[in-house]
Amino acid sequence: MIFHPYDFPTAVWLYFRYCWRYCLLKSDEMTSELSASCIEQAVNQFYSGGQQQQIEQWLTLTQISPQAWGFCWDLLSPEKTVEVRFYGANTLYAKISRYWSEVPHDQYDNLRTRLLQKIMELCSGDKIITTRLCVSLAALILHMTPEDWPDPVPQLISTFQSLQTVTEEQRCQVLLEILRVLPEEYFSANLSQSRRLVLNGELNKSLSHVLPLLRSLLLPGAPTDVKRAALQCFSSWLDLGSVFSEAEDIILLTFQCLQNQDLFDTAVETLVNVFSHPSNERYHNTMKKYLPCVLGLQDSFMKARDSLDMDVCQRVGQIIISFAENNVTLLLQWAVDPEVRETTINFINLVLTCTSIPGHFPVDENFSNMFFTFWYLLQDGIQDPPVERSKVLHQMFCPIFLSLIQTLLIKVQYPEEEEYNSWTKDDKEEFRCYRQDIGDTMMYSYSILREPLLGFMCNTLNSGAENPKETQWQLIEAVFFLFTSVAENVDLEEEVHIPSMLSVLPKLPYNNVKYISAALKMIGSYSEWINCHPGYLNCVIPLILQGLQGLQNSEIAESATMSLKDVTGENLDHIQPHAPQILGACQHAFQSGLLKTRDSMRLMHSVGQVLSVMKYDDIMQYLTSLLSPLLQELQNLITREPSTPVKAAILSRLSILGSLFSSLDTERDKEDVKVKPRSTEPKPVAVLLQQLAPIIQGLLANWITDPGVIEGICAMFKHALKTLLDDFGLLSKDVAEMLVQMYQVNPSPAILDLSKQLIIMHHEDSQLSPVVVTLLGSLSTITLELFTKGPQNYTDVIEAFMNLLSQVLKKSKAILTTEQCVVQMKSLFHSALQALSLPEHQTVKATCSFLGEFLSAGETTPVIKALVQEEGSLLLDKILRAVGGESARGLVENLSDIFLMLNKHYPENMPVWMNQLLKQEGYPSPKVTKADKDIFIKAVLREKINKRKIREVSKEFSLKCRGMFGTEYAANTGFP
């Protein structure tokens, strides 16, 4: 691969091209003729643009060559460009961190001295270069400590304190930069566990030298840049272990740095890291000392809030919330401690103040959402046992949570419509998510407040009803939203506040879209409660049906149809008196032509639920009136030329019919009927399907090749099958023939999924068994033909087919022993072996599931057992080759399950097959030895139950086969 030279001098370009080609051939043996000047040209060319990918590859190969130890120093000369020096520094880091074995032991000290000299030489230049060299020194320390460089940190501190070649400030900054990156390099380096433990101990010993240094540099009088570097260094060393008991004064000095505007951001980040440390709770007394300091930030927060400085508010809030979230347990302990109770309560009120920052999220402020997790953790901690302590905390925190509710009631409100309409789409989406977070916080708060919370919201609602002209719609909408948020947790026996809330609904003025939508959603959320108090249907049904009249607005239509679906579904035992009113409103809504498909589906679902409680004649009379226009539309669509709009219209109507079929069940269980007699009348869904049959056949005539339409038809029949159950039998033969007809023309997973349901439903029915056996045989024949055409083109179909076979084996092994299926048994087995080589993971997993069931079935099915004993070595060969590298690593777990099934069900054959296959030279990979294979054979044959163990054994063997066992790459990537 070559590329154009652009501005390269001809001689340099030819030499560079030669090196590039040589590198491609021998990436691990770079030519000794590589020069710094050539590399410098390449770096400059890379940053000037043109063939960047090729140059980057060449520079990467150059960077890891043995010659890099020499030219990297030349590239670090001060007169070089920043880009060249950065490449040189990066090269030095790459060599030290990854190729340390290339350094002779007698050159360790020389390399250290040279690196320190280069750091001091360049410390007054670009910080990016200095930092990279410091990282290189950190990597060197990790290699040399403690054997070849004992106590490096105190030595470095002493060395830099005695340096006279640079200013004192430069010495401090470079030393602090080295100390800052040292822990970071420790955590990012690829180290063995034993080596990491050694280095951790060495670095923790160094704390006794690092902390005094940082303390001295944070005292008043030190330069601002030095203080900033000291804070960053301290933050970096926090992760090595808890330093709270030794660093109290440093943390207090960090609080003082908040008063310096130039240090403010760095001090905030440091304190956030301090209070986010997971070991905080082990230091009760130490953390208690910081509580007044954090509380002392209230003045700064309030001052920033009053001056509308949201950046400062957010930064101060980060410190407050990091302390609060990570010390909830301690805060609750302190709340019952008389010494610090008042301070603790004041601090929690400070969190409340931060939560209630004025303005609308995310336009006026964008940080109040970060406090919500704290309120969840607090209520969770309050309710932890013991019970007596929980009662005390409940009483203590109820006023705070009630204040929180008042805050949330304000924060959840919409702005004025003109302002809201000016928001961007992203702002509106963020606000929607923010409201959902508030809803979750309300749900947590309800577990603490319960009745007082409901009472507060009812009082607000009643006040709005009494003074409608003086009450903004946003307030009432917010109350509706909050009532909806807690609905799931409200006791079904609650008889004070929910009745009050529902009773006031008809008195409110509904003059805003969001207001109406929120009311409808709230009604739907209390549908289960209404089922226990059916008298309130008289109150809510008219409101829902009134909402159906606002279909020209999509938001109202969605809320009204969702609410009606919830209320009818939960109240079927009480809905019959309201049925004429509901069905009339639904029919009017359908006739309006304003409903979207999703709304129509929900509304039709409600229709089906309501019709389920009516008499058969009334049901059919209503359906005739309701569905005649829809069926006529479908009939007309069949006659039109296929097009995208026609297809969308067809799918819409099929979905609406499917929604009706899923809910129209006249033999549903009733609460007060233990054993219901079987009806002598036909099920309405079965009658409708018979009426639909000619339309479906006409539809297939024009659309049988369209996967979307086929899927829509199958989904509709699937809904009907689940509702009709045994009563689907009369239709089964025709549907089975239709499925085969569709599958022959357009194999589809949807067809196989419906076929699976049909087979499992009727396989035990003596009259229908021949139908499902014929169906399975036909589907198998067609699918086997796909394997001859190229299975890689039908992976989704093969996946669905394997899932079908797997379920059939689980539910009815007898089907596979019928004459028609026995003939295909061997072909099905071989097709499964072929499917194991397909690239899609889900297809292979489904095939493994089928094979597992197939092998298990051999225990009770002689024909299957005979086939496996005859062909089992082919299956084992396929699995071994896949584990050995022919399949992706992510599939090894599923493939290894086959080992377990063979071992469990064919214990006589498995050892013979394993030894015959694995004794072959270079099988399943030349990278495994005979010893590796012997260990693997013994480990596999030993396991007949433990799936986890055999998976671990297989993964290890797979890594050895791929030459990856014990490598950094395998450790980092793992098994997906």
Side-chain angles (χ1 to χ4, degrees):
M1 184 186 299
I2 60 174
F3 46 91
H4 298 294
Y6 294 95
D7 297 327
F8 266 96
T10 304
V12 175
W13 162 248
L14 292 175
Y15 179 65
F16 177 46
R17 186 174 67 178
Y18 160 72
C19 294
W20 163 247
R21 287 176 165 175
Y22 189 82
C23 290
L24 287 178
L25 294 173
K26 300 184 71 178
S27 61
D28 58 341
E29 295 181 30
M30 301 292 291
T31 174
S32 60
E33 296 181 10
L34 281 175
S35 66
S37 60
C38 175
I39 296 166
E40 182 178 357
Q41 289 277 1
V43 172
N44 289 329
Q45 178 70 8
F46 174 80
Y47 283 102
S48 65
Q51 299 292 337
Q52 288 185 319
Q53 183 178 355
Q54 293 94 328
I55 299 177
E56 182 180 18
Q57 292 172 347
W58 187 85
L59 289 172
T60 301
L61 292 172
T62 304
Q63 191 175 59
I64 64 177
S65 68
Q67 286 71 31
W69 288 108
F71 66 68
C72 67
W73 300 104
D74 296 330
L75 298 177
L76 285 167
S77 297
E79 67 273 7
K80 303 293 185 185
T81 64
V82 174
E83 292 81 7
V84 171
R85 281 182 285 134
F86 180 75
Y87 177 77
N90 215 36
T91 299
L92 185 58
Y93 170 72
K95 298 303 293 183
I96 292 176
S97 60
R98 296 166 55 193
Y99 298 94
W100 181 252
S101 59
E102 295 177 359
V103 183
H105 190 273
D106 60 359
Q107 292 297 312
Y108 285 4
D109 291 340
N110 181 51
L111 177 58
R112 174 181 62 187
T113 302
R114 193 173 184 184
L115 179 53
L116 281 168
Q117 290 173 346
K118 185 58 70 173
I119 289 173
M120 297 315 303
E121 178 186 347
L122 299 178
C123 69
S124 59
D126 297 282
K127 190 174 187 302
I128 188 174
I129 311 298
T130 306
T131 297
R132 206 63 188 148
L133 292 175
C134 290
V135 174
S136 301
L137 180 60
L140 183 141
I141 290 172
L142 296 182
H143 284 301
M144 293 181 63
T145 301
E147 298 83 2
D148 299 295
W149 191 358
D151 301 321
V153 170
Q155 285 188 34
L156 283 171
I157 293 174
S158 176
T159 299
F160 275 87
Q161 285 176 339
S162 62
L163 275 175
Q164 300 298 323
T165 56
V166 293
T167 66
E168 183 178 355
E169 184 172 339
Q170 287 177 329
R171 292 202 313 265
C172 289
Q173 289 194 338
V174 173
L175 174 60
L176 290 171
E177 185 67 6
I178 295 170
L179 295 178
R180 181 185 70 81
V181 300
L182 182 55
E184 294 176 359
E185 181 64 16
Y186 165 76
F187 285 112
S188 64
N190 181 34
L191 302 169
S192 66
Q193 186 63 26
S194 58
R195 181 64 180 164
R196 190 169 293 279
L197 288 173
V198 170
L199 290 173
N200 185 272
E202 292 295 317
L203 291 174
N204 272 287
K205 279 195 323 184
S206 301
L207 279 170
S208 60
H209 300 278
V210 173
L211 295 180
L213 173 68
L214 298 178
R215 187 179 299 113
S216 66
L217 296 177
L218 287 171
L219 291 173
T224 298
D225 289 342
V226 172
K227 284 187 176 183
R228 183 183 297 108
L231 290 172
Q232 293 170 340
C233 182
F234 176 62
S235 186
S236 179
W237 280 76
L238 281 170
D239 291 333
L240 278 169
S242 180
V243 298
F244 296 111
S245 55
E246 296 87 5
E248 289 182 24
D249 46 357
I250 295 179
I251 296 172
L252 295 176
L253 287 168
T254 304
F255 273 102
Q256 294 178 18
C257 290
L258 292 171
Q259 307 306 316
N260 185 327
Q261 187 175 353
D262 293 330
L263 294 174
F264 180 76
D265 287 341
T266 307
V268 167
E269 292 169 5
T270 303
L271 289 172
V272 168
N273 287 340
V274 167
F275 296 134
S276 300
H277 201 281
S279 63
N280 281 0
E281 290 190 2
R282 296 208 309 265
Y283 296 87
H284 296 197
N285 294 329
T286 303
M287 297 310 296
K288 190 185 295 184
K289 294 177 184 178
Y290 303 136
L291 179 60
C293 298
V294 182
L295 183 58
L297 297 174
Q298 181 165 359
D299 290 341
S300 299
F301 182 85
M302 300 300 287
K303 182 178 179 181
R305 187 192 71 174
D306 294 341
S307 61
L308 300 180
D309 191 341
M310 291 297 137
D311 288 337
V312 171
C313 284
Q314 180 175 2
R315 300 297 271 160
V316 173
Q318 286 175 326
I319 300 173
I320 294 169
I321 197 59
S322 63
F323 186 90
E325 274 190 17
N326 293 283
N327 294 286
V328 170
T329 302
L330 295 181
L331 288 170
L332 292 174
Q333 291 176 11
W334 298 337
V336 294
D337 182 350
E339 286 187 18
V340 287
R341 178 183 301 157
E342 183 177 357
T343 306
T344 303
I345 297 300
N346 288 339
F347 171 74
I348 294 174
N349 278 315
L350 174 59
V351 179
L352 180 60
T353 300
C354 295
T355 310
S356 61
I357 187 77
H360 286 100
F361 183 95
V363 176
D364 303 317
E365 56 88 8
N366 62 354
F367 63 89
S368 60
N369 60 328
M370 68 183 181
F371 298 95
F372 292 149
T373 301
F374 167 74
W375 296 111
Y376 163 72
L377 295 172
L378 186 64
Q379 67 82 28
D380 195 45
I382 290 171
Q383 298 187 98
D384 279 349
V387 176
E388 290 303 318
R389 174 177 173 272
S390 181
K391 287 181 179 179
V392 172
L393 291 173
H394 263 87
Q395 185 176 3
M396 184 181 300
F397 282 95
C398 268
I400 293 177
F401 273 90
L402 193 56
S403 297
L404 174 64
I405 298 309
Q406 295 169 347
T407 292
L408 297 179
L409 184 61
I410 296 171
K411 296 294 290 182
V412 79
Q413 291 180 33
Y414 280 94
E416 293 296 335
E417 289 189 76
E418 184 178 352
E419 180 186 346
Y420 183 73
N421 291 335
S422 70
W423 287 9
T424 66
K425 185 178 179 180
D426 289 341
D427 288 340
K428 291 178 179 178
E429 175 60 17
E430 283 193 62
F431 184 61
R432 186 195 67 79
C433 296
Y434 179 76
R435 280 168 56 92
Q436 188 57 55
D437 289 340
I438 287 180
D440 293 341
T441 308
M442 276 293 300
M443 186 170 61
Y444 311 144
S445 301
Y446 180 77
S447 63
I448 301 295
L449 294 173
R450 305 190 74 81
E451 297 303 313
L453 184 151
L454 295 177
F456 166 74
M457 292 197 295
C458 279
N459 290 338
T460 306
L461 200 59
N462 287 324
S463 177
E466 293 171 3
N467 306 286
K469 294 183 180 180
E470 300 174 10
T471 305
Q472 291 184 317
W473 69 265
Q474 289 96 332
L475 175 62
I476 305 302
E477 191 277 341
V479 174
F480 289 159
F481 179 84
L482 298 183
F483 259 119
T484 303
S485 300
V486 302
E488 187 178 339
N489 293 337
V490 172
D491 294 334
L492 297 178
E493 295 77 21
E494 206 287 323
E495 295 183 344
V496 177
H497 301 296
I498 305 305
S500 174
M501 176 267 289
L502 293 176
S503 298
V504 81
L505 291 182
K507 304 174 186 177
L508 295 169
Y510 294 95
N511 51 11
N512 179 276
V513 170
K514 294 191 179 300
Y515 183 96
I516 298 169
S517 178
L520 292 169
K521 288 178 181 177
M522 182 184 68
I523 291 170
S525 69
Y526 283 92
S527 55
E528 188 177 357
W529 183 93
I530 294 171
N531 184 47
C532 298
H533 307 81
Y536 287 92
L537 284 171
N538 294 320
C539 172
V540 300
I541 292 293
L543 290 173
I544 297 174
L545 300 185
Q546 185 180 346
L548 284 179
Q549 297 174 12
L551 298 177
Q552 65 276 9
N553 184 280
S554 60
E555 190 171 350
I556 293 178
E558 179 182 347
S559 300
T561 53
M562 288 177 65
S563 182
L564 184 62
K565 180 181 176 183
D566 291 338
V567 170
T568 54
E570 289 288 348
N571 292 270
L572 284 182
D573 292 321
H574 317 293
I575 207 73
Q576 194 165 18
H578 306 276
Q581 186 183 7
I582 295 172
L583 294 174
C586 290
Q587 186 160 8
H588 178 76
F590 280 116
Q591 291 171 350
S592 72
L594 297 173
L595 289 169
K596 295 181 178 179
T597 299
R598 282 312 227 169
D599 299 326
S600 296
M601 290 173 62
R602 282 191 291 269
L603 201 59
M604 191 61 85
H605 193 275
S606 299
V607 167
Q609 289 173 330
V610 175
L611 288 175
S612 297
V613 303
M614 298 177 67
K615 295 179 180 178
Y616 176 77
D617 291 339
D618 294 335
I619 295 173
M620 298 312 299
Q621 181 180 353
Y622 180 83
L623 287 177
T624 300
S625 173
L626 178 66
L627 295 183
S628 292
L630 188 147
L631 297 180
Q632 185 60 50
E633 290 170 3
L634 199 53
Q635 184 68 56
N636 292 338
L637 288 168
I638 293 173
T639 62
R640 294 171 60 181
E641 283 295 319
S643 66
T644 301
V646 171
K647 176 181 174 180
I650 290 172
L651 292 178
S652 172
R653 283 147 184 80
L654 291 175
S655 299
I656 293 169
L657 287 170
S659 188
L660 174 66
F661 295 162
S662 69
S663 61
L664 179 50
D665 185 4
T666 54
E667 293 189 4
R668 67 179 187 85
D669 293 323
K670 295 185 178 180
E671 293 180 357
D672 55 347
V673 179
K674 293 183 179 179
V675 180
K676 58 182 180 183
R678 183 173 179 81
S679 173
T680 57
E681 298 164 332
K683 284 192 174 181
V685 173
V687 176
L688 291 174
L689 284 177
Q690 289 173 341
Q691 295 175 2
L692 269 173
I695 296 177
I696 297 300
Q697 283 302 321
L699 192 60
L700 289 176
N702 290 337
W703 292 90
I704 196 168
T705 59
D706 189 285
V709 174
I710 296 302
E711 187 175 336
I713 293 172
C714 291
M716 184 189 70
F717 275 103
K718 190 175 178 181
H719 287 305
L721 178 60
K722 289 182 177 179
T723 298
L724 292 175
L725 300 177
D726 293 341
D727 292 291
F728 196 85
L730 297 175
L731 306 165
S732 293
K733 186 173 185 300
D734 292 338
V735 173
E737 291 174 354
M738 179 193 72
L739 290 171
V740 174
Q741 177 190 356
M742 293 190 296
Y743 198 66
Q744 283 176 327
V745 177
N746 189 358
S748 164
I751 298 172
L752 293 171
D753 189 39
L754 177 58
S755 300
K756 178 175 65 179
Q757 303 296 328
L758 193 64
I759 293 168
I760 292 172
M761 183 74 71
H762 299 306
H763 71 273
E764 293 181 342
D765 189 318
S766 58
Q767 294 182 339
L768 295 176
S769 180
V771 173
V772 297
V773 169
T774 302
L775 173 61
L776 180 61
S778 299
L779 295 175
S780 299
T781 300
I782 298 169
T783 307
L784 289 171
E785 291 175 2
L786 299 181
F787 279 91
T788 64
K789 297 178 181 178
Q792 66 276 6
N793 299 319
Y794 303 95
T795 53
D796 57 340
V797 176
I798 292 171
E799 178 187 339
F801 182 66
M802 292 299 164
N803 284 326
L804 165 63
L805 294 178
S806 180
Q807 287 298 310
V808 168
L809 281 169
K810 279 183 180 179
K811 304 293 184 180
S812 177
K813 298 180 180 66
I815 292 182
L816 289 178
T817 60
T818 57
E819 182 177 351
Q820 183 173 357
C821 293
V822 166
V823 172
Q824 296 176 318
M825 191 84 70
K826 191 169 186 179
S827 297
L828 291 174
F829 179 76
H830 281 278
S831 70
L833 297 187
Q834 196 174 348
L836 288 173
S837 300
L838 293 174
E840 279 73 14
H841 284 207
Q842 293 304 318
T843 306
V844 177
K845 290 178 180 179
T847 305
C848 289
S849 177
F850 160 64
L851 287 169
E853 294 293 336
F854 190 85
L855 295 173
S856 177
E859 289 279 352
T860 56
T861 312
V863 64
I864 293 179
K865 186 165 188 175
L867 175 59
V868 175
Q869 288 176 332
E870 178 185 352
E871 307 280 355
S873 62
L874 296 177
L875 171 60
L876 185 59
D877 174 59
K878 194 75 175 179
I879 300 299
L880 285 170
R881 290 181 183 276
V883 170
E886 290 186 2
S887 292
R889 281 199 293 153
L891 292 169
V892 171
E893 286 193 350
N894 298 92
L895 292 165
S896 63
D897 292 344
I898 305 299
F899 291 141
L900 191 66
M901 300 306 292
L902 286 168
N903 216 22
K904 181 178 180 180
H905 300 292
Y906 301 89
E908 303 87 1
N909 308 97
M910 182 64 168
V912 177
W913 295 335
M914 284 281 283
N915 283 289
Q916 284 178 345
L917 290 168
L918 287 171
K919 72 179 180 181
Q920 301 173 68
E921 188 69 28
Y923 177 94
S925 164
K927 296 178 181 178
V928 285
T929 64
K930 182 179 183 301
D932 291 330
K933 291 192 275 190
D934 289 342
I935 294 171
F936 177 65
I937 292 171
K938 290 178 182 178
V940 168
L941 296 179
R942 187 167 52 242
E943 297 298 333
K944 292 181 173 61
I945 298 175
N946 195 329
K947 181 184 288 188
R948 179 188 60 81
K949 183 65 176 176
I950 208 161
R951 285 184 170 188
E952 290 177 356
V953 168
S954 299
K955 286 192 289 187
E956 182 177 319
F957 185 69
S958 183
L959 287 174
K960 289 179 179 178
C961 289
R962 299 165 198 261
M964 297 171 63
F965 185 68
T967 64
E968 177 185 351
Y969 177 77
N972 291 337
T973 56
F975 278 80

